[in-house]
Amino acid sequence: GAVVSQHPSRVICKSGTSVKIECRSLDFQATTMFWYRQFPKQSLMLMATSNEGSKATYEQGVEKDKFLINHASLTLSTLTVTSAHPEDSSFYICSAPGGSTGSSNQPQHFGDGTRLSIL
Amino acid sequence: SQKIEQNSEALNIQEGKTATLTCNYTNYSPAYLQWYRQDPGRGPVFLLLIRENEKEKRKERLKVTFDTTLKQSLFHITASQPADSATYLCALDNAGNMLTFGGGTRLMVKP
């Protein structure tokens, strides 16, 4: 079945560091990918929609200069947390729709998440 | 405002029983609803999708119902097993191409 690979699985770094997280669709093309953030015992909060070849669409309240998204190919989207601070510590998860339409009315295939800890 | 509500209390059941999880929503008119399973420290895994014109959908031991009048979906696991212990999330399309997730319900199946 379709697989989404997310890397790294865990990052621990100092405050002020920029961290890049990669999300790859391994056996299918994804014109759209989604980035979520999840705090402990809470649900997934959509941060942004990553669109191949164009700018990402950010949800209200998400700083686009803080969370840089690049979707340079049909199989790779990256999220860069710039100048990370302790409040950015969270579980970040990406997903890609399983169908060819690129919309979310298809089952979503999720990566296994990145646990980001900023000291 | 729009809300998706799942029982935030953990559901504890005995192995072999049927687990029933609830997803209620307000101020949405979803065309479909999805259910996912999430294990600790992992990403969600897709289980079932049900469309607004479908009353019920089944997959092996899983059954989902969708009542657009009550604005509610029920998720059933029959003959539950300890391996079914996880957090279960419902998700709705949000008048566009994005999913909005409920808070999830943690299911614990005891042997």
Side-chain angles (χ1 to χ4, degrees):
Chain A
V3 176
V4 170
S5 174
Q6 189 172 340
H7 178 80
S9 58
R10 186 172 180 93
V11 179
I12 302 173
C13 57
K14 293 181 179 179
S15 184
T17 306
S18 291
V19 178
K20 180 187 281 190
I21 303 169
E22 291 186 348
C23 183
R24 293 182 185 272
S25 56
L26 294 186
D27 56 359
F28 66 104
Q29 294 182 335
T31 56
T32 301
M33 290 185 177
F34 301 95
W35 286 97
Y36 297 85
R37 183 173 180 173
Q38 186 175 35
F39 291 105
K41 297 187 179 180
Q42 294 188 25
S43 191
L44 285 76
M45 298 299 297
L46 181 66
M47 298 174 65
T49 302
S50 174
N51 304 298
E52 188 268 334
S54 64
K55 291 183 180 180
T57 306
Y58 290 83
E59 294 301 297
Q60 192 174 11
V62 178
E63 299 175 58
K64 61 181 180 182
D65 295 331
K66 174 76 169 175
F67 299 100
L68 299 179
I69 291 174
N70 185 16
H71 196 148
S73 78
L74 288 170
T75 59
L76 175 63
S77 174
T78 61
L79 168 68
T80 301
V81 184
T82 61
S83 188
H85 291 284
E87 58 268 27
D88 299 322
S89 299
S90 189
F91 191 52
Y92 294 87
I93 314 175
C94 69
S95 76
S100 59
T101 62
S103 72
S104 66
N105 63 352
Q106 298 287 337
Q108 294 284 320
H109 301 284
F110 284 85
D112 264 341
T114 298
R115 174 73 58 193
L116 177 62
S117 300
I118 307 298
L119 305 177
Chain B
S1 62
Q2 295 178 319
K3 283 185 182 179
I4 303 172
E5 294 182 323
Q6 294 184 256
N7 193 342
S8 59
E9 301 276 334
L11 177 62
N12 294 295
I13 65 167
Q14 202 66 35
E15 182 177 8
K17 301 292 185 182
T18 296
T20 299
L21 286 70
T22 304
C23 176
N24 294 299
Y25 58 93
T26 54
N27 295 321
Y28 277 98
S29 295
Y32 58 91
L33 185 148
Q34 301 185 26
W35 282 89
Y36 289 80
R37 169 184 172 142
Q38 186 175 25
D39 291 284
R42 307 293 296 273
V45 174
F46 170 76
L47 295 175
L48 280 169
L49 180 154
I50 187 166
R51 304 188 190 281
E52 61 177 341
N53 60 351
E54 296 175 314
K55 296 286 186 189
E56 180 180 298
K57 201 132 185 211
R58 293 174 184 261
K59 178 183 176 182
E60 298 173 352
R61 293 185 296 112
L62 308 180
K63 184 178 86 172
V64 170
T65 63
F66 193 10
D67 190 325
T68 55
T69 301
L70 291 178
K71 295 187 183 295
Q72 180 181 78
S73 176
L74 298 178
F75 176 81
H76 305 273
I77 305 175
T78 59
S80 59
Q81 304 166 0
D84 295 326
S85 299
T87 296
Y88 291 86
L89 305 164
C90 69
L92 307 179
D93 68 311
N94 189 17
N97 290 333
M98 297 167 290
L99 284 177
T100 300
F101 284 82
T105 298
R106 187 178 175 206
L107 173 66
M108 297 287 291
V109 181
K110 298 180 180 180

